[in-house]
Amino acid sequence: RMFGNNITMMTFALKRDDLADLPRAVATLGEQQRAIVREKLDVGMLASLDFARAVPARIYHWFLTRPFGGEVSSFVFSNPGAVSLTTFAGLPVRDAFALPSVATPPGFQAIFTRHGGRLSAFIGYMEGVLSPAEAAALAQQFRTELLGP
């Protein structure tokens, strides 16, 4: 698809103690993901996405935070493969990348896409989540991690 995304969602839960230990947090998320796929809950969560599309933001936020005592965050991982768009409106495409809206919470996204043998990185955030200086520092850290010092 050129516009839109074929996505599903999975809802995970971590306890505060899990967050204090990165290997334990990763193992807990892995266990939950395997259970979700095994029990086909990811397919059922498609109905939640359809439902959320029509619900006003304040009501959606209430549904989202109520089971978790008001604390919630989002982690979106997607690997749709390289963007294969080579022409658009009869013209060659030199570069293409994903530019999604930023989901809240948490109001921050790091998106990586591939096109024409290149990797593009996008950092998107809602005002107030990061300062411009923090966003610039994060972009530099990504660059260093990906390309070296």
Side-chain angles (χ1 to χ4, degrees), residues 26-133:
V26 170
T28 300
L29 292 173
E31 290 168 16
Q32 290 179 35
Q33 181 183 18
R34 286 187 293 279
I36 288 168
V37 172
R38 182 175 49 252
E39 297 167 21
K40 299 190 183 328
L41 294 176
D42 55 326
V43 176
M45 289 180 187
L46 288 172
S48 296
L49 285 173
D50 286 338
F51 171 74
R53 193 176 296 155
V55 174
R58 293 181 73 186
I59 295 171
Y60 174 72
H61 191 264
W62 180 81
F63 274 114
L64 191 64
T65 58
R66 186 169 170 251
F68 303 107
E71 294 187 50
V72 67
S73 67
S74 299
F75 174 77
V76 178
F77 172 81
S78 175
N79 185 6
V83 177
S84 59
L85 186 66
T86 57
T87 62
F88 183 77
L91 298 171
V93 173
R94 291 190 212 163
D95 196 3
F97 52 91
L99 189 58
S101 61
V102 177
T104 58
F108 167 82
Q109 289 181 338
I111 308 292
F112 296 88
T113 54
R114 291 171 289 153
H115 180 268
R118 290 182 297 191
L119 179 69
S120 295
F122 166 79
I123 298 171
Y125 60 95
M126 302 295 289
E127 188 174 311
V129 172
L130 295 177
S131 71

